[in-house]
Amino acid sequence: MPLQFNEYYNGRTGLAIGLKKLLFSKQTDYQLVEVYETDTWGNLMAIDGMVMLSEMDEFVYHEMLSHVGVFTHPSPERVLIIGGGDGGTAREVMKHASVKQVDMVEIDKTVVDASKEFLPEVGDFQNPKLTVIHEDGIAYIKKVKDPYDLIIIDGSDPVGPAEGLFEKDFYHQCYQALNSDGVLTTQTESPWVESYFPSIRKVYKALDELFDHSGMYLCYIPLYPGGMWSMMCASKGEGPMESSVLKRAEEGINTLNDLKYYNPEIHQAAFALPDFVKEIIK
Ligand code: SPD
């Protein structure tokens, strides 16, 4: 086993993470799933050589992908997560009392099984609100009969099975699978990695064209390429930056346990974009 995990995102430029040992490795029908014990970040899951999460920094990604969307909706009850097999996004969403049902559609059962075994603190798989469905999210969304209040796209990077999660057609299907005040959040990669720009632009344009309100927001994740990560929130009802949404976040924040990143100030500030990021989506 190498002493380092390296994710190269531009030629020989990339991340280096010190390793203690390899805990799990399996080439599934879809992808290579690996879990390592690291020297600094706890256990880490990688898919096809790309970091998905570590025990130490996963809270940033999962809190930001979840709570921005949940608070943008007046009172979401039914939530669909596409991807998210480690369970971190579902864990955050289920902290909200209004949420009664979470369907998590993860294509690869191995991701769920490996997470339960090697990242046991991340998911809340015993929670009765959660149903795990092993199916392709792109196929699932086309069949939704009973619309959702909130859809969260917690997929992998736009290579391999997750490529379709960056296409306009997919977001059109999501739009149709949402109620009339429905909200969507999605992860949209690093604004520091040029090879991701076409995917970022595609999703931004699709949400802008389909939804009444949409916006990009940012958070800071040390083990993702560039350390800065973009997400997007789109809504048929209230916009994610409206004062009513921020008020709801202020009123609801104290009902949520164990938050380490998200708060109403972060919700507001995260939508302020540096000029170089605005340039990408112009
Ligand atoms: N390069 C990281 C892309 C983020 C993909 N999703 C991570 C899954 C965590 N639930």
Side-chain angles (χ1 to χ4, degrees):
M1 187 199 74
L3 295 174
Q4 278 183 345
F5 176 88
N6 295 108
E7 177 178 344
Y8 295 104
Y9 51 84
N10 186 23
R12 282 173 291 149
T13 296
L15 291 156
I17 298 159
L19 299 178
K20 286 190 179 164
K21 60 176 184 246
L22 175 66
L23 297 170
F24 178 84
S25 178
K26 185 175 174 183
Q27 177 66 52
T28 72
D29 288 346
Y30 308 102
Q31 53 208 356
L32 174 64
V33 181
E34 297 168 291
V35 184
Y36 293 94
E37 183 183 348
T38 73
D39 61 8
T40 305
W41 300 95
N43 292 349
L44 173 147
M45 177 178 278
I47 288 185
D48 287 340
M50 292 168 285
V51 175
M52 290 297 117
L53 70 153
S54 81
E55 287 179 310
M56 296 288 284
D57 74 348
E58 58 85 14
F59 65 91
V60 183
Y61 178 93
H62 293 131
E63 289 182 23
M64 289 301 281
L65 196 57
S66 304
H67 303 305
V68 169
V70 176
F71 281 125
T72 297
H73 191 280
S75 185
E77 292 186 14
R78 299 188 72 246
V79 180
L80 171 65
I81 298 170
I82 298 211
D86 51 75
T89 297
R91 176 198 72 213
E92 291 303 317
V93 165
M94 293 186 297
K95 289 178 179 175
H96 291 260
S98 74
V99 172
K100 304 284 182 284
Q101 182 191 341
V102 176
D103 294 337
M104 188 181 95
V105 181
E106 166 59 59
I107 194 169
D108 196 343
K109 184 172 182 299
T110 300
V111 173
V112 174
D113 293 343
S115 301
K116 284 180 180 170
E117 187 169 354
F118 299 107
L119 302 159
E121 301 302 313
V122 174
D124 181 11
F125 288 101
Q126 300 307 318
N127 194 315
K129 293 179 181 180
L130 180 63
T131 303
V132 179
I133 301 157
H134 292 301
E135 200 179 319
D136 179 1
I138 296 168
Y140 180 91
I141 198 77
K142 294 180 183 158
K143 303 182 309 197
V144 171
K145 295 265 181 311
D146 195 3
Y148 291 93
D149 300 312
L150 171 63
I151 297 178
I152 300 180
I153 318 302
D154 181 7
S156 186
D157 301 285
V159 280
E163 236 176 307
L165 304 180
F166 293 81
E167 297 297 331
K168 182 172 182 185
D169 187 49
F170 170 70
Y171 287 97
H172 182 61
Q173 302 288 344
C174 289
Y175 182 89
Q176 290 184 320
L178 282 166
N179 282 316
S180 57
D181 53 0
V183 173
L184 177 144
T185 60
T186 182
Q187 77 86 9
T188 49
E189 305 291 318
S190 171
W192 283 110
V193 180
E194 216 173 328
S195 59
Y196 291 146
F197 292 1
S199 300
I200 296 175
R201 279 192 201 108
K202 245 194 288 183
V203 178
Y204 185 83
K205 194 163 177 284
L207 297 181
D208 183 50
E209 286 172 6
L210 290 164
F211 286 81
D212 294 338
H213 305 275
S214 64
M216 175 191 266
Y217 60 102
L218 299 173
C219 57
Y220 302 90
I221 305 175
L223 295 192
Y224 282 179
M228 177 191 264
W229 209 250
S230 73
M231 296 178 175
M232 294 184 200
C233 180
S235 169
K236 294 185 182 184
E238 294 162 75
M241 279 293 286
E242 278 181 34
S243 53
S244 54
V245 169
L246 298 172
K247 186 161 175 273
R248 193 179 298 131
E250 269 159 30
E251 287 167 359
I253 191 80
N254 292 327
T255 66
L256 306 180
N257 295 325
D258 304 324
L259 295 185
K260 290 190 274 192
Y261 192 92
Y262 178 88
N263 60 41
E265 297 80 33
I266 287 283
H267 182 129
Q268 183 167 24
F271 284 87
L273 303 179
D275 284 356
F276 83 92
V277 178
K278 286 183 185 168
E279 195 62 31
I280 299 170
I281 51 177
K282 203 168 71 178

